[in-house]
Amino acid sequence: MEKIKMSCPCHFGLESVLKFEIGRIGGEDISAKDGRVSFTGSFRTLTKANLCLSTAERVLIVLSEFKAENPKELIEAADRIPFEDYIGRNDRFPVKGHSLNSSLHSVPACQSIIKKAAVNRLSKKYGITSFNETGALFQIQFSILNDNVTVYLDSSGEGLHKRGYRKNSNDAPIKETLAAGIIDLAHIRKDSIFYDPFCGSGTFLIEAAYKAMNIAPGLKRTFAAEQWGISDPKLWEEERASALAAIKRDNDFFAYGYDIDPEAAALSIENCRKAGIGNRAEVRQADIHDFRYEYENAVTVCNPPYGERLLELKEAENLYNVMGKKFGSTQNHPCFIITPHEQFEQFFGKTADKKRKLYNGMIKCQLYMYYN
Ligand SMILES: C[S@@+](CC[C@H](N)C(=O)[O-])C[C@H]1O[C@@H](n2cnc3c(N)ncnc32)[C@H](O)[C@@H]1O
């Protein structure tokens, strides 16, 4: 198979982090725009992307890109998409998508046009008219934005934030892919001493350890493309073996996690164990009021409660005040705090050296970065 064009959606604000990651796995022609990074590569690059990218939401193959302002144009362009290059005679090929600011605004109508185009191409190739669709999953996705249509095949299956380590979660866990991006921005190194004093289910502790030890986040799971007829199982085996060989165990990374809720602390311990980094983290139940650093140069990353209701908001603001006092000299203790509270710095008592707008789900947040 020749060069494949791929596209990975990511959290808004993390495009540059993902771009760098894609460069590291050998992606070419990389370009980033509005929560998405596109690149080209081989099927091996696609395998690596699924296994190794920590901030991508999924790895999509770009089947076709075209402009269409009416059903006729969509039908003509969809009929030219070589679905048969990927999809086998028994495979499942559901279609889903979305449309924004476009003349083709009926998603079900577009869905059925694209499905019909796929059926026609596959009928011609396999000489059949009915499809049992019991085989491997080829999720077809389309996006229509300002009359520009892109048709994709999803090679990941479950979203890449599902690393396979977090079976349980507490009330407000941060998404793994967002946590990984923040860890990258915090420049976690192989010998970092790391703190999360509001660790909840332990996401930052685990993503920090993965980064420090170079553990590929997809090692504990499988991907839709592994089931595809065109996929070579040896390729996945080889890439898994090389990701395993690339893990760096000879370093001093260590993470400390605290949470006032004993159940959250227990959950963190369990999740760190499941993630395979139990020996790199110490977690216990503790209130931020009792927090103190035991090491110089330790890096702190956290998403403290932000309080949605008024009373909770006051409590959250008090916590920010305590954090400002506890985190002390930022030079020796860089800290990175994500919160949607717009007056965070005022309560924390210090102006951030840098801020970055990030979305935690639908919530607009800032990452407040203190390192000078
Ligand atoms: C937004 S959650 C953190 C989620 C976490 N990053 C994760 O991925 O699961 C905030 C956490 O702060 C904890 N918390 C609230 N007040 C605290 C306090 N005074 N001291 C320490 N932890 C506290 C809560 O129990 C909750 O688990």
Side-chain angles (χ1 to χ4, degrees):
M1 187 174 284
E2 28 174 283
K3 250 190 189 179
I4 307 171
K5 179 164 185 188
M6 287 162 267
S7 177
C8 295
C10 67
H11 279 268
F12 278 89
L14 290 184
E15 295 87 347
S16 58
V17 176
L18 178 56
K19 204 172 159 187
F20 185 76
E21 283 200 278
I22 290 172
R24 266 188 41 167
I25 59 154
E28 295 170 64
D29 314 308
I30 310 171
S31 66
K33 202 179 166 193
D34 302 338
R36 198 169 273 280
V37 183
S38 302
F39 59 105
T40 60
S42 60
F43 208 92
R44 190 179 288 278
T45 321
L46 176 140
T47 309
K48 280 188 200 205
N50 274 299
L51 275 168
C52 304
L53 297 179
S54 69
T55 52
E57 296 301 319
R58 47 186 70 245
V59 182
L60 303 171
I61 295 175
V62 179
L63 290 179
S64 187
E65 292 170 289
F66 52 89
K67 200 166 174 83
E69 291 175 348
N70 54 55
K72 186 169 171 278
E73 286 173 359
L74 180 62
I75 292 168
E76 280 171 9
D79 280 348
R80 287 196 295 271
I81 301 175
F83 291 104
E84 70 280 5
D85 285 355
Y86 291 89
I87 307 171
R89 64 188 296 150
N90 295 318
D91 293 332
R92 290 173 285 156
F93 52 104
V95 181
K96 67 178 180 190
H98 62 264
S99 169
L100 203 69
N101 294 336
S102 302
S103 314
L104 288 164
H105 51 80
S106 164
V107 169
C110 297
Q111 234 169 331
S112 95
I113 288 173
I114 294 170
K115 180 79 184 186
K116 213 164 161 190
V119 165
N120 287 342
R121 299 281 305 205
L122 299 176
S123 291
K124 231 181 243 162
K125 162 121 183 209
Y126 301 115
I128 51 175
T129 49
S130 81
F131 293 84
N132 59 22
E133 295 203 44
T134 53
L137 176 64
F138 287 79
Q139 177 69 60
I140 298 170
Q141 282 192 21
F142 65 88
S143 130
I144 311 180
L145 188 63
N146 303 323
D147 298 326
N148 293 308
V149 184
T150 312
V151 182
Y152 305 100
L153 264 188
D154 179 3
S155 75
S156 302
E158 278 200 305
L160 295 180
H161 68 282
K162 298 217 168 156
R163 316 290 208 209
Y165 67 67
R166 194 167 71 180
K167 293 274 189 300
N168 312 311
S169 89
N170 60 332
D171 283 348
I174 194 159
K175 211 170 170 188
E176 294 82 342
T177 40
L178 176 58
I182 295 171
I183 291 302
D184 195 273
L185 294 168
H187 297 298
I188 298 304
R189 302 263 180 258
K190 63 187 182 69
D191 294 321
S192 295
I193 298 295
F194 181 83
Y195 282 93
D196 178 355
F198 299 93
C199 67
S201 59
T203 321
F204 279 129
L205 307 176
I206 296 165
E207 294 298 327
Y210 275 15
K211 173 87 184 168
M213 297 172 71
N214 198 34
I215 298 177
L219 267 174
K220 287 187 180 291
R221 56 162 284 173
T222 56
F223 308 92
E226 285 184 71
Q227 304 303 320
W228 295 358
I230 52 156
S231 163
D232 178 0
K234 249 181 68 193
L235 202 62
W236 293 91
E237 253 171 58
E238 284 169 13
E239 287 309 321
R240 280 206 171 86
S242 104
L244 271 172
I247 296 177
K248 294 182 181 129
R249 297 180 201 281
D250 57 339
N251 63 37
D252 292 330
F253 173 86
F254 204 86
Y256 293 90
Y258 309 117
D259 200 290
I260 196 166
D261 175 0
E263 280 179 26
L267 186 58
S268 268
I269 294 172
E270 176 64 3
N271 283 336
C272 287
R273 193 191 56 75
K274 274 190 196 138
I277 59 108
N279 59 347
R280 296 297 186 129
E282 187 183 301
V283 183
R284 60 185 165 77
Q285 187 256 327
D287 188 327
I288 187 69
H289 289 86
D290 302 322
F291 178 84
R292 70 181 178 85
Y293 286 111
E294 282 162 28
Y295 298 92
E296 283 297 295
N297 301 314
V299 186
T300 302
V301 177
C302 59
N303 66 320
Y306 57 85
E308 278 165 298
R309 286 181 287 267
L310 198 60
L311 192 65
E312 292 171 356
L313 192 66
K314 286 264 167 287
E315 284 169 16
E317 287 163 355
N318 285 338
L319 284 182
Y320 300 162
N321 195 263
V322 176
M323 284 161 65
K325 291 185 181 123
K326 295 281 174 183
F327 292 174
S329 146
T330 52
Q331 206 164 27
N332 289 333
H333 294 120
C335 55
F336 300 79
I337 302 136
I338 179 168
T339 171
H341 198 306
E342 292 186 357
Q343 278 88 47
F344 171 79
E345 290 158 299
Q346 191 185 311
F347 293 99
F348 190 72
K350 283 174 207 145
T351 305
D353 295 305
K354 212 170 162 190
K355 286 186 268 188
R356 184 180 284 229
K357 197 192 330 165
L358 290 173
Y359 278 85
N360 187 359
M362 298 302 283
I363 307 168
K364 186 177 132 203
C365 296
Q366 294 282 355
L367 179 66
Y368 294 92
M369 305 188 238
Y370 295 89
Y371 42 69
N372 280 325

